[in-house]
Amino acid sequence: MKAVVLAAALLLASAAHAQTTIETAAQATGNIAAPLGLELGKTRCARITQGPNHVRAGKAAWAGGDAIEIRSLDRFNLPGLTRVIVNCDAQDTVALVTLTFERTAFEDTRNKLDKRYEVKRKTDAHAENGYAEWLATNGSIEMLHAKEGRQFTVAYWGKGAKARYFAYNGGAASAPAVKAKAADKTPASAPAVKQPAAL
């Protein structure tokens, strides 16, 4: 009888441990930043330079690679999304993704980010220029907007990318999205995204 009770207790303990392991893995996965399916610091930019709706937008000199604009935005199912720029590093991996939205999508976007990532800094409602920040396992996310602006930007930084950006600019406060607007408009492309993208 003792053996049966002991075996049952071991089974319960083993099941509880397995459940905890599954939940921990799920939390870690949920905290990995992969805007539009492009995992920061991991996704190869070669994957997104194929197809008619992706164009080179010059060089992301601070990162060491290309800047790519994604133009087919409706497939991402993100209300209010108006522009996407991907900055690649010298190893051809995604270092920064900036997403520009219409102001009408502000609350929805912020709520999605609050649910998915750890909040580091909340937006100050009275600030002239709003700023909020979230932490991810593989980088950080920030939201920037002018108080009366018609649009706002969400920037996904790979680990170490933000420091490289500001070091390259000597501490200048120019916006990352502006840096990506170079003149080169050579057509490129990418495979279609099958799933709606999560923030």
Side-chain angles (χ1 to χ4, degrees):
M1 184 67 176
K2 286 183 180 178
V4 172
V5 172
L6 184 59
L10 284 172
L11 277 172
L12 285 172
S14 181
H17 176 71
Q19 182 63 32
T20 302
T21 303
I22 290 168
E23 288 172 1
T24 302
Q27 287 171 355
T29 302
N31 200 35
I32 293 173
L36 313 183
L38 307 173
E39 188 173 334
L40 300 178
K42 187 172 181 181
T43 302
R44 293 285 175 188
C45 290
R47 173 187 155 201
I48 57 172
T49 54
Q50 306 164 8
N53 291 309
H54 295 213
V55 295
R56 282 187 61 230
K59 285 281 182 185
W62 66 271
D66 289 331
I68 301 163
E69 182 174 0
I70 300 176
R71 293 194 171 168
S72 180
L73 302 179
D74 55 338
R75 64 186 178 151
F76 296 123
N77 194 26
L78 289 172
L81 183 63
T82 61
R83 186 164 194 203
V84 176
I85 299 286
V86 179
N87 285 236
C88 308
D89 66 17
Q91 287 72 48
D92 192 49
T93 55
V94 174
L96 166 67
V97 180
T98 57
L99 298 98
T100 303
F101 292 87
E102 293 293 344
R103 186 61 180 232
T104 53
F106 184 81
E107 290 299 330
D108 181 53
T109 302
R110 186 175 61 181
N111 289 339
K112 285 178 181 175
L113 291 168
D114 281 343
K115 287 177 184 175
R116 186 171 174 93
Y117 303 104
E118 179 189 341
V119 178
K120 183 177 180 184
R121 189 174 306 164
K122 288 277 192 180
T123 301
D124 180 355
H126 304 292
E128 192 63 34
N129 292 303
Y131 178 84
E133 187 175 5
W134 296 263
L135 297 177
T137 303
N138 57 338
S140 63
I141 302 101
E142 61 185 5
M143 178 186 281
L144 309 108
H145 63 92
K147 192 171 184 179
E148 303 300 327
R150 295 181 180 179
Q151 296 184 321
F152 65 94
T153 298
V154 177
Y156 288 80
W157 297 92
K159 272 190 177 176
K162 193 172 181 180
R164 289 203 312 273
Y165 173 79
F166 284 104
Y168 179 83
N169 283 299
S174 56
V178 173
K179 190 73 180 168
K181 292 180 187 176
D184 188 7
K185 297 288 181 183
T186 309
S189 65
V193 172
K194 296 175 184 174
Q195 299 284 338
L199 284 176

